[in-house]
Amino acid sequence: GENVEQHPSTLSVQEGDSAVIKCTYSDSASNYFPWYKQELGKRPQLIIDIRSNVGEKKDQRIAVTLNKTAKHFSLHITETQPEDSAVYFCAASTSGTYKYIFGTGTRLKVLA
Amino acid sequence: NAGVTQTPKFQVLKTGQSMTLQCAQDMNHEYMSWYRQDPGMGLRLIHYSVGAGITDQGEVPNGYNVSRSTTEDFPLRLLSAAPSQTSVYFCASSYSMTGLGEKLFFGSGTQLSVL
């Protein structure tokens, strides 16, 4: 079945620096790739997503890139702020399967 | 709109007990699902539904039952709780039943401990 690997498991950056989280998926038919942010004790919330017909998508300080050939996608956060500290999950889904397979999460700490 | 509502927020069970985790949404979403979250393992899909009367298994369905009698409700049943089912459980829903991939709206979670 589909498998999604996520790295790193923890990431510490200085405030103002950039953070990059990478995910690799196994099913070449996957075509939807969302990213969720989960603050401590809270529910996961979608922050950005990308479909397979697009190579990059940006939303202010957040961007996601997709390399279909290599089967990996990445989350980029620029000018990090303390409120970016959270656990980030990537996921992959294939049309018609109704399943979202999540990565194991990255705990991001932004140091002031 | 209340969104996705889960009850209870916390629950402690003894091994072998049964219970039902409740999930309700008021957004007229066709797709509903249950995940469990364990440290270092991310979110794993237990069961999902694409509409009333339709359910299917996810990655880790053993030990759990679901049913979908209405669009709004999607309860998760533990028939005989085991310590391995200690976890945080999230219900999630989305508009689409086409399987094209849509934003998931999560409930606030249920922290379950099985002793």
Side-chain angles (χ1 to χ4, degrees):
Chain A
E2 170 77 279
N3 183 50
V4 176
E5 294 187 358
Q6 183 172 347
H7 298 282
S9 57
T10 61
L11 178 61
S12 293
V13 299
Q14 290 294 132
E15 183 177 358
D17 286 351
S18 296
V20 180
I21 303 170
K22 298 180 180 180
C23 289
T24 303
Y25 59 97
S26 61
D27 186 354
S28 57
S30 293
N31 55 4
Y32 176 67
F33 308 94
W35 286 89
Y36 286 82
K37 175 183 180 182
Q38 185 180 29
E39 297 177 356
L40 188 62
K42 300 290 182 64
R43 70 192 76 190
Q45 293 192 305
L46 181 74
I47 55 171
I48 195 167
D49 57 9
I50 192 168
R51 298 187 187 275
S52 59
N53 59 345
V54 175
E56 183 176 2
K57 185 176 180 180
K58 278 187 177 181
D59 183 3
Q60 299 182 336
R61 296 186 297 108
I62 293 173
V64 56
T65 58
L66 172 64
N67 183 327
K68 288 188 292 183
T69 303
K71 292 191 287 186
H72 66 69
F73 56 111
S74 300
L75 177 71
H76 304 254
I77 305 174
T78 58
E79 302 172 16
T80 53
Q81 301 167 3
E83 53 264 39
D84 294 329
S85 295
V87 178
Y88 292 82
F89 292 98
C90 63
S93 181
T94 305
S95 291
T97 66
Y98 306 102
K99 296 180 182 179
Y100 300 81
I101 304 302
F102 283 80
T104 51
T106 296
R107 183 173 299 278
L108 173 65
K109 297 179 184 177
V110 179
L111 308 172
Chain B
N1 288 349
V4 181
T5 303
Q6 280 185 245
T7 56
K9 291 190 182 300
F10 302 95
Q11 183 70 49
V12 179
L13 292 177
K14 293 181 180 178
T15 297
Q17 286 186 316
S18 63
M19 79 159 296
T20 299
L21 306 186
Q22 301 292 345
C23 176
Q25 52 85 15
D26 61 358
M27 298 175 282
N28 202 31
H29 285 176
E30 293 289 349
Y31 181 87
M32 296 186 74
S33 55
W34 278 100
Y35 289 87
R36 59 177 290 172
Q37 183 175 25
D38 302 293
M41 303 193 74
L43 294 153
R44 291 183 293 167
L45 180 64
I46 303 172
H47 286 286
Y48 66 94
S49 168
V50 297
I54 306 170
T55 64
D56 207 345
Q57 298 180 348
E59 301 171 87
V60 287
N62 292 341
Y64 308 95
N65 281 352
V66 293
S67 60
R68 184 100 178 267
S69 56
T70 67
T71 299
E72 295 77 19
D73 300 298
F74 191 45
L76 179 71
R77 297 184 186 87
L78 284 71
L79 299 179
S80 179
S84 60
Q85 294 179 304
T86 294
S87 187
V88 178
Y89 291 84
F90 285 99
C91 179
S93 70
S94 74
Y95 290 108
S96 176
M97 60 174 288
T98 64
L100 293 176
E102 297 291 341
K103 174 182 178 180
L104 288 173
F105 292 78
F106 283 85
S108 57
T110 296
Q111 190 166 319
L112 175 67
S113 294
V114 182
L115 306 178

